[in-house]
């Protein structure tokens, strides 16, 4: 069965075609500048039309959907009610879900007879206990507005933890794993017996680690203080925290770890500081997650920085488990979120 995996973002559409269950990658590609001013690709429909003209023999489609809130704990076959449900989740993911939905709607028009599944980035973290996902806000903010920790990068954390179990030749239900997804966006998860029990990202992907351009954890009162000092709108504050902070904001140089490492090696103090802060935050989370799982069998690194930056991995790992009797295995596992989506779509369709 040929499964087309679509990752429809606000200005790009990525795709991979797999022959399942062989897990054979048949083709892949990317369309950029979707719906950007002056672009030839005026919307997602047009972008997907170009992709689907190139690809023949699609039996089913798996769509990545960023936010499923508490509504979607598992992948689902898309129908009108599901579309309505994804639309309702747009309120908590205004940057991502509308673009995901545009991809779904375009595919339904272009390939009306083909079954399509939605696979959610938040679903893997729906196993968090309430004491991990409820914030210290009045409880009605959770009940009325759905404000709680959701967590993201679910497909990546699930994929690399299942790979870790395969590599270690130990079943997932016998393992305590900490997975570090360190790309432009960064998150770290505590996976106990195959289930996510905590995740650094929160209500949005802003919480937790210091990332390429996102600040991660800060005292929320900082936002009130800045708004009193400067006449910033909510949108400007949002941009400050999401686009101008993190490695880029601290270093004043770049969000790209390769550039920062090179500058650090030349003696740039701010590049060194940005990297030190990045590493320090990850170490703190590893310590916390080792404590809540009462140990750790494996520490997994993945994504751009996790897979390619050996010096950063070394700095993070140094001494972080020295209190444990048995040192955990440290693994580098390339992530494959698209394969995870293809697997889940295949399982869902086969079950039907
Ligand atoms: P995204 O979250 O956008 O998918 P990536 O997973 O590609 O991002 O991660 C981007 C980060 O990974 C950047 O900081 C970049 O410096 C680093 N990175 C990516 N590829 C390499 C590489 N081959 N060598 C070193 N660093 C890399």
């Amino acid at each position: 069965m040929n499964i087309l995996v679509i990752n429809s973002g606000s200005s790009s559409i990525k795709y991979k075609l797999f022959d399942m269950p062989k897990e054979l990658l048949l083709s892949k590609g990317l369309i950029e500048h979707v719906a950007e001013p002056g672009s030839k690709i005026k919307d997602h429909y047009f972008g997907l039309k170009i992709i689907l003209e190139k690809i023949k023999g699609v039996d089913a489609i798996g769509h990545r959907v960023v936010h499923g809130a508490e509504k979607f704990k598992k992948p689902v076959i898309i129908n009108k009610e599901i579309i309505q449900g994804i639309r309702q989740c747009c309120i908590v993911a205004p940057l991502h879900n509308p673009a995901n939905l545009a991809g779904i709607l375009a595919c339904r028009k272009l390939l009306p007879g083909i079954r399509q599944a939605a696979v959610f980035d938040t679903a893997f973290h729906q196993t968090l206990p309430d004491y991990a996902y409820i914030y210290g806000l009045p409880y009605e903010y959770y009940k009325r507005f759905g404000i709680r920790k959701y967590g993201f990068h679910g497909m990546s954390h699930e994929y690399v933890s299942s790979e870790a179990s395969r590599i270690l030749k130990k079943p997932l239900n016998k393992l305590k794993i900490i997975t570090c997804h360190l790309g432009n966006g960064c998150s770290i998860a505590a996976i106990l017996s195959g289930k996510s029990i905590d995740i650094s990202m929160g209500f949005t992907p802003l919480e937790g680690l210091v990332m390429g351009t996102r600040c991660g954890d800060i005292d929320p009162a900082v936002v009130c203080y800045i708004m009193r000092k400067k006449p910033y709108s909510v949108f400007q504050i949002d941009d400050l925290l999401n686009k101008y902070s993190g490695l880029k904001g601290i270093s004043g140089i770049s969000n790209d770890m390769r550039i920062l490492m090179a500058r650090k090696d030349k003696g740039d103090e701010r590049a060194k500081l940005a990297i030190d802060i990045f590493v320090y935050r990850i170490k703190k989370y590893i310590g916390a997650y080792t404590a809540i799982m009462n140990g750790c069998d494996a520490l997994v690194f993945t994504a751009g920085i996790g897979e390619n930056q050996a010096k950063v991995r070394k700095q993070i790992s140094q001494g972080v488990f020295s209190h444990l009797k048995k040192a955990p295995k440290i693994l580098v596992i390339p992530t494959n979120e698209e394969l995870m989506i293809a697997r889940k779509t295949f399982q869902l369709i086969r079950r039907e």
Side-chain angles (χ1 to χ4, degrees):
M1 182 189 288
N2 289 347
I3 294 186
L4 176 65
V5 174
I6 298 286
N7 185 352
S8 172
S10 56
S11 65
S12 71
I13 305 169
K14 289 185 205 143
Y15 70 90
K16 278 190 184 173
L17 183 71
F18 291 95
D19 179 359
M20 298 298 285
K22 287 186 212 149
E23 303 197 343
L24 211 67
L25 179 64
L26 300 174
S27 68
K28 64 173 187 172
L30 162 75
I31 296 235
E32 288 179 291
H33 309 299
V34 179
E36 281 179 357
S39 168
K40 279 187 206 149
I41 320 285
K42 64 179 184 343
D43 56 23
H44 288 78
Y45 177 83
F46 199 73
L48 276 154
K49 193 158 178 275
I50 296 171
I51 293 172
L52 294 175
E53 271 162 11
K54 270 196 260 176
I55 294 175
K56 297 286 165 247
V58 174
D59 298 307
I61 302 179
H63 291 272
R64 179 189 191 187
V65 179
V66 168
H67 217 309
E70 287 183 337
K71 216 182 242 322
F72 298 110
K73 296 185 194 300
K74 284 189 195 127
V76 284
I77 297 286
I78 295 169
N79 58 30
K80 278 189 186 150
E81 286 82 64
I82 299 295
I83 288 176
Q84 191 50 26
I86 295 172
R87 194 167 279 135
Q88 283 162 4
C89 296
C90 286
I91 190 156
V92 283
L95 298 179
H96 298 99
N97 272 33
N100 305 154
L101 201 53
I104 292 171
L105 295 174
C107 286
R108 271 167 69 91
K109 260 197 208 158
L110 290 159
L111 290 179
I114 297 289
R115 273 173 303 176
Q116 305 196 29
V119 185
F120 299 88
D121 236 359
T122 45
F124 183 58
H125 304 300
Q126 279 293 303
T127 46
L128 258 64
D130 52 4
Y131 52 79
Y133 70 70
I134 299 279
Y135 289 123
L137 290 167
Y139 192 70
E140 62 263 27
Y141 282 76
Y142 163 58
K143 285 312 235 187
R144 284 187 61 197
F145 305 117
I147 297 175
R148 51 157 283 181
K149 181 187 278 283
Y150 290 104
F152 299 88
H153 288 146
M155 256 88 74
S156 180
H157 291 291
E158 187 174 1
Y159 178 77
V160 297
S161 56
S162 71
E163 280 294 289
S165 144
R166 190 181 60 76
I167 292 163
L168 297 172
K169 298 189 177 64
K170 242 184 155 184
L172 267 173
N173 63 11
K174 295 253 163 21
L175 285 168
K176 298 168 180 176
I177 306 176
I178 297 176
T179 48
C180 305
H181 179 111
L182 309 178
N184 257 318
C186 300
S187 67
I188 176 164
I191 301 171
L192 183 64
S193 303
K195 291 203 166 83
S196 172
I197 62 158
D198 209 347
I199 170 75
S200 58
M201 281 180 169
F203 177 63
T204 75
L206 183 58
E207 191 183 343
L209 303 180
V210 169
M211 313 180 206
T213 60
R214 296 178 214 154
C215 61
D217 299 334
I218 56 166
D219 179 347
V222 168
V223 174
C224 311
Y225 185 77
I226 294 173
M227 289 186 94
R228 272 193 232 112
K229 287 266 164 201
K230 294 200 170 213
Y232 283 173
S233 67
V234 170
F235 301 104
Q236 285 169 310
I237 288 282
D238 208 53
D239 278 356
L240 173 73
L241 305 177
N242 277 292
K243 296 186 184 161
Y244 303 112
S245 298
L247 293 173
K248 185 180 180 181
I250 299 164
S251 68
I253 301 167
S254 170
N255 59 314
D256 192 311
M257 188 57 94
R258 280 170 288 203
I259 295 173
L260 294 181
M261 289 301 273
R263 290 286 281 267
K264 177 187 161 181
D265 290 345
K266 286 194 178 133
D268 189 301
E269 283 300 320
R270 287 263 295 281
K272 179 180 179 307
L273 178 64
I275 296 164
D276 286 349
I277 294 171
F278 179 83
V279 167
Y280 179 73
R281 182 78 54 88
I282 296 168
K283 279 189 135 158
K284 284 212 292 190
Y285 269 92
I286 293 174
Y289 288 174
T290 306
I292 62 166
M293 292 197 289
N294 192 21
C296 174
D297 301 306
L299 175 68
V300 182
F301 288 105
T302 193
I305 299 171
E307 290 168 29
N308 299 296
Q309 292 282 356
K311 281 187 187 165
V312 177
R313 287 199 303 268
K314 192 171 167 208
Q315 203 178 332
I316 294 167
S317 315
Q318 226 154 32
V320 76
F321 293 119
S322 51
H323 61 298
L324 296 184
K325 277 192 201 123
K326 191 171 169 232
K329 288 269 183 300
I330 296 180
L331 304 170
V332 179
I333 302 177
T335 193
N336 197 339
E337 290 158 291
E338 294 83 5
L339 179 57
M340 203 68 216
I341 297 172
R343 279 183 192 165
K344 286 184 182 290
T345 304
F346 178 71
Q347 283 161 6
L348 195 62
I349 284 171
R350 198 174 50 176
R351 229 180 292 138
E352 280 218 320

